[in-house]
Amino acid sequence: MSVKGKAVVCRQWNQPVSVEEVEIASPGPNQVLIQMEAIGVCHSDLSATNGTMPLPPPVVLGHEACGRIVELGEGMRDYAVGDKIIPCWIPTCGQCRFCQAGRPTLCDDWAKAFLSLKDGTRPIRDAAGNSLNAFSGVGVMAEYAVLHRDNLIRIDPETPSDKAALVGCAVMTGVGGAINRARVQPGSSCVVFGAGGVGLNVIQGCALAGAETIIAVDMVDKKLGFAQQFGATHTINPSTDGDAVAKVRELTGGGADYGFEAIGLGATIVQTYSAVRKGGTAVIIGVPKFDAVASFPAAMMFMEEKAILGSAYGSGSPKTDIPKLIKLYQRGRLKLDELITQTYRIEDAPRAFEDLEKGVNARGVILL
Ligand SMILES: [Zn+2]
Ligand SMILES: [Zn+2]
């Protein structure tokens, strides 16, 4: 039986999102129906509403969430109704050469799941009966969603859903970027451009790894305040403190060991690279416009031997990393409570997006 429920839909780029009653088909083979309990509002969702991520509307937004299985499709006997699930917004097939090599965030199947489930099904229909796209093959900013088995991460059922939801994107992406991709060493210096939900978790990852100096750069003072809570030892607001690269060089004696870009702009990618010391590592985590370009001084690349690494979804294995991150939270070593600075009803999703654009929250969470 199909179910009806509310969903947050982008109908047109650069217009407010709409909250609509949609119909979700019952789960097919290798699929489950999830009833969502909490949904994070991530910058990538905003990027899908303004064309930065060119996903053609109408698209049901949402990729950072937590819910419970309410119905199992055929062949899903290894799961049970009631299992607590975080959607994994990159499907991981376990079979391709990247999955086999321990790099499931590069899974070849990701490209199959930008707008529909990875098996091609489109389970969501609007009131007029038209099928809607699903953000990153999940589309979980809704009361219900059908997910493919390769997008499921089963977690400890005792984890509070609002906290767990954030681990599904911001925390995995940020902490993973610092630990899995950069492999930040104890005693090192780090600079993080952008102190939004992901940037704060890069900072938290650097702190977990034992970095000695962690510099946060952002144009919004409130976010720099959050950054200090998550472990930043220094903050720079370029609008009042001047050139961020010069400041970072001054604070670190010539450049940071690791630089992270968590904004997604060509200009800040170049700044991140420039703020890293000779032989250091710059990690690009933010999602740029698909036609954006970053230009680097070519001779410097040769002379300074810096590495530039991309990092998607924390560059690890979400299915094993996410349950580990939740354990760290349960042991009091990972900050999740402090991330949630505002909660919303699903009806208030347009306001949640406005607040995200203004940068007033560490993370806003929709509770169902
Ligand atoms: Zn996200
Ligand atoms: Zn794969």
Side-chain angles (χ1 to χ4, degrees):
M1 277 287 286
S2 64
V3 291
K4 285 190 173 166
K6 294 188 184 69
V8 181
V9 182
C10 169
R11 284 273 166 194
Q12 204 184 337
W13 290 344
N14 301 310
Q15 293 295 317
V17 297
S18 60
V19 183
E20 303 181 14
E21 186 84 358
V22 298
E23 185 169 4
I24 297 110
S26 50
N30 293 311
Q31 298 174 349
V32 295
L33 178 68
I34 309 272
Q35 182 169 20
M36 237 52 74
E37 295 179 348
I39 308 149
V41 187
C42 173
H43 214 275
S44 300
D45 296 307
L46 182 65
S47 293
T49 69
N50 60 26
T52 298
M53 290 175 95
L55 300 176
V59 56
V60 176
L61 299 163
H63 60 285
E64 181 181 270
C66 179
R68 282 181 193 275
I69 294 179
V70 289
E71 192 182 340
L72 299 167
E74 195 189 312
M76 291 302 296
R77 290 189 171 206
D78 45 335
Y79 285 84
V81 168
D83 280 353
K84 200 165 227 191
I85 297 292
I86 290 178
C88 182
W89 54 261
I90 296 180
T92 60
C93 74
Q95 309 295 322
C96 73
R97 67 188 171 115
F98 295 102
C99 284
Q100 293 277 336
R103 300 292 305 275
T105 54
L106 298 177
C107 180
D108 279 336
D109 280 359
W110 190 11
K112 294 181 191 166
F114 288 150
L115 296 170
S116 68
L117 270 61
K118 67 170 272 186
D119 57 17
T121 53
R122 287 167 195 269
I124 319 164
R125 287 183 184 280
D126 66 10
N130 301 312
S131 82
L132 302 176
N133 291 326
F135 182 102
S136 213
V138 290
V140 290
M141 199 171 283
E143 290 180 295
Y144 295 93
V146 168
L147 298 180
H148 188 271
R149 112 174 354 264
D150 290 350
N151 293 90
L152 303 180
I153 300 171
R154 183 164 32 197
I155 60 162
D156 178 350
E158 299 303 316
T159 323
S161 298
D162 52 345
K163 319 295 190 301
L166 306 186
V167 183
C169 181
V171 180
M172 179 70 242
T173 302
V175 174
I179 292 179
N180 296 327
R181 194 66 172 131
R183 301 188 182 275
V184 168
Q185 296 298 304
S188 59
S189 57
C190 303
V191 59
V192 183
F193 283 78
V198 169
L200 293 174
N201 281 291
V202 175
I203 291 167
Q204 156 147 269
C206 294
L208 276 170
E212 186 237 325
T213 302
I214 305 172
I215 305 166
V217 183
D218 202 287
M219 304 287 271
V220 181
D221 280 332
K222 192 167 182 187
K223 290 198 203 168
L224 292 173
F226 295 140
Q228 285 173 317
Q229 257 186 301
F230 280 82
T233 56
H234 302 75
T235 61
I236 298 171
N237 183 334
S239 60
T240 50
D241 299 331
D243 179 21
V245 173
K247 288 267 172 212
V248 172
R249 288 206 180 127
E250 191 184 307
L251 287 167
T252 55
D257 298 319
Y258 306 95
F260 298 90
E261 205 275 358
I263 302 169
L265 291 173
T268 40
I269 288 172
V270 177
Q271 284 185 340
T272 303
Y273 174 80
S274 306
V276 168
R277 66 159 166 79
K278 287 188 278 188
T281 302
V283 181
I284 312 309
I285 298 175
V287 183
K289 256 183 162 347
F290 279 37
D291 56 358
V293 169
S295 307
F296 301 89
M300 290 296 119
M301 301 188 89
F302 149 72
M303 288 170 69
E304 298 192 337
E305 291 194 7
K306 295 183 194 181
I308 305 177
L309 307 177
S311 180
Y313 205 2
S315 310
S317 296
K319 288 189 178 182
T320 49
D321 287 354
I322 283 177
K324 282 187 209 166
L325 288 166
I326 287 172
K327 279 214 175 76
L328 279 177
Y329 166 70
Q330 289 166 337
R331 304 257 193 278
R333 295 187 55 204
L334 187 79
K335 290 186 168 74
L336 295 181
D337 301 350
E338 296 83 348
L339 270 178
I340 303 172
T341 49
Q342 184 69 33
T343 59
Y344 304 88
R345 300 176 312 151
I346 195 164
E347 293 81 1
D348 299 327
R351 187 161 57 85
F353 278 84
E354 278 170 37
D355 288 350
L356 177 64
E357 206 154 15
K358 284 189 234 155
V360 299
N361 290 323
R363 199 52 137 198
V365 176
I366 293 170
L367 298 179
L368 294 158

